[in-house]
Amino acid sequence: GQNIDQPTEMTATEGAIVQINCTYQTSGFNGLFWYQQHAGEAPTFLSYNVLDGLEEKGRFSSFLSRSKGYSYLLLKELQMKDSASYLCAVTDSNYQLIWGAGTKLIIKP
Amino acid sequence: GAVVSQHPSRVICKSGTSVKIECRSLDFQATTMFWYRQFPKKSLMLMATSNEGSKATYEQGVEKDKFLINHASLTLSTLTVTSAHPEDSSFYICSARDASGTDYEQYFGPGTRLTVT
């Protein structure tokens, strides 16, 4: 079966750094996405990785290791507005998105 | 960036009535649109994949006669919840894939909150 695992909830302090991990087992791989979703809103795109390595975009970075079926989203200089759910999603061999359950990130002052 | 709209953003309807939700790609053509349902504190659940000019492909467990999907043009897909019941109350989100895109990113609409009383 297809499976994506990410922690259910994480807590971090404003100004700090947090890493949200995602492991996946899917039938084929055509890219991995990270989305941010605030409560009651639709997801917004954060990053896309299809090759191994680190992609940096401002305060957010995403890393991918295809051989390990592993990705992480790194958030630096945390702000209160970063409190949200972070969804990991993998595009499988049919180019369908397989979603993780999301990680709820709580930022404390 | 690519923009997807949904209408309405919120709808309250009585049990037994039908509700139509529209999903539009505003500045790109979408040969494929997706309809998701999200329960509170849960991840997105793919309901169906909507292809322009052909019948939608429904995921296992999704009743095609209850959730009617029409993708009549390259910029519009509609989801009609027929004979709605309180258990259909949920957050429905559509997404669209740019026909000219190469990274297979899906652009999400803002979602529709459906409450069935």
Side-chain angles (χ1 to χ4, degrees):
Chain A
Q2 311 212 84
N3 194 51
I4 296 185
D5 288 315
Q6 46 181 137
T8 304
E9 187 174 297
M10 299 181 71
T11 302
T13 305
E14 190 176 16
I17 299 172
V18 71
Q19 177 174 311
I20 303 174
N21 295 325
C22 170
T23 58
Y24 63 89
Q25 294 155 336
T26 57
S27 55
F29 177 84
N30 281 298
L32 184 145
F33 294 88
W34 282 98
Y35 287 89
Q36 180 191 61
Q37 186 178 26
H38 286 99
E41 299 179 11
T44 55
F45 171 79
L46 289 178
S47 67
Y48 172 71
N49 294 68
V50 67
L51 299 175
D52 290 349
L54 186 68
E55 295 275 345
E56 297 186 73
K57 192 183 294 185
R59 295 190 297 116
F60 293 4
S61 302
S62 57
F63 171 83
L64 174 68
S65 169
R66 288 171 297 170
S67 62
K68 295 181 180 179
Y70 167 69
S71 173
Y72 67 72
L73 179 69
L74 191 71
L75 293 78
K76 303 176 184 176
E77 300 169 20
L78 286 170
Q79 302 174 10
M80 298 303 293
K81 67 178 182 179
D82 297 330
S83 292
S85 287
Y86 291 85
L87 305 172
C88 172
V90 171
T91 307
D92 69 7
S93 56
N94 295 318
Y95 294 98
Q96 295 280 52
L97 269 179
I98 312 300
W99 292 89
T103 298
K104 182 179 180 181
L105 178 62
I106 300 168
I107 310 296
K108 295 186 175 180
Chain B
V3 178
V4 176
S5 70
Q6 265 183 258
H7 178 79
S9 58
R10 287 181 179 273
V11 57
I12 301 173
C13 70
K14 292 187 176 181
S15 187
T17 61
S18 295
V19 173
K20 180 185 284 187
I21 303 170
E22 292 186 349
C23 177
R24 293 181 185 272
S25 56
L26 297 185
D27 50 3
F28 66 99
Q29 293 186 329
T31 51
T32 306
M33 290 186 171
F34 304 88
W35 286 96
Y36 293 90
R37 180 173 180 177
Q38 188 173 34
F39 296 96
K41 300 182 181 180
K42 298 284 186 182
S43 187
L44 300 174
M45 182 193 80
L46 179 64
M47 298 174 66
T49 302
S50 167
N51 295 296
E52 186 265 338
S54 63
K55 291 184 178 180
T57 302
Y58 289 81
E59 296 300 302
Q60 194 171 11
V62 178
E63 298 176 59
K64 59 182 66 176
D65 293 332
K66 179 163 186 64
F67 299 99
L68 301 178
I69 292 173
N70 183 276
H71 192 159
S73 77
L74 285 171
T75 59
L76 173 65
S77 176
T78 61
L79 167 67
T80 301
V81 182
T82 63
S83 187
H85 287 94
E87 58 265 31
D88 298 326
S89 298
S90 194
F91 191 45
Y92 292 88
I93 307 173
C94 75
S95 69
R97 181 180 288 160
D98 189 340
S100 63
T102 57
D103 61 7
Y104 296 97
E105 180 184 346
Q106 294 182 23
Y107 301 95
F108 285 88
T112 297
R113 175 76 58 190
L114 171 63
T115 303
V116 184
T117 61

